[in-house]
Amino acid sequence: MHNRAAQLLGKNVAYLPFSLPSSHLGAFLDAAWHFGATGFNVTQPHKAAVSALIGNSGRQSINTLYRGQNGWL
């Protein structure tokens, strides 16, 4: 669904699933930033862990991340 929408909008993006253990979340977010990823949906069981990793102003869980000027928002 997301890939088709991007295609129709003429966007050069890909929506891909990633399965990784919680212990790799920080490294994944760093690598994704380095390679220019624009955003993610975050699913269980990683919502709380990702929130803690990005220091999200006291929110207990994260649904979606997008690339801000200086980090993930």
Side-chain angles (χ1 to χ4, degrees):
M1 172 176 76
H2 296 291
N3 286 322
R4 179 67 175 141
Q7 180 185 32
L8 291 171
L9 293 169
K11 301 286 184 178
N12 184 21
V13 299
Y15 190 88
L16 304 168
F18 292 94
S19 179
L20 40 123
S22 294
S23 61
H24 293 163
L25 289 173
F28 175 81
L29 292 174
D30 290 344
W33 183 270
H34 175 75
F35 288 112
T38 57
F40 304 96
N41 292 106
V42 180
T43 60
Q44 289 293 9
H46 301 311
K47 292 177 181 276
V50 168
S51 181
L53 284 170
I54 67 166
N56 195 20
S57 303
R59 290 192 173 96
Q60 294 181 0
S61 69
I62 295 291
N63 246 5
T64 306
L65 287 178
Y66 64 94
R67 187 180 193 89
Q69 189 171 13
N70 298 310
W72 297 114
L73 302 172

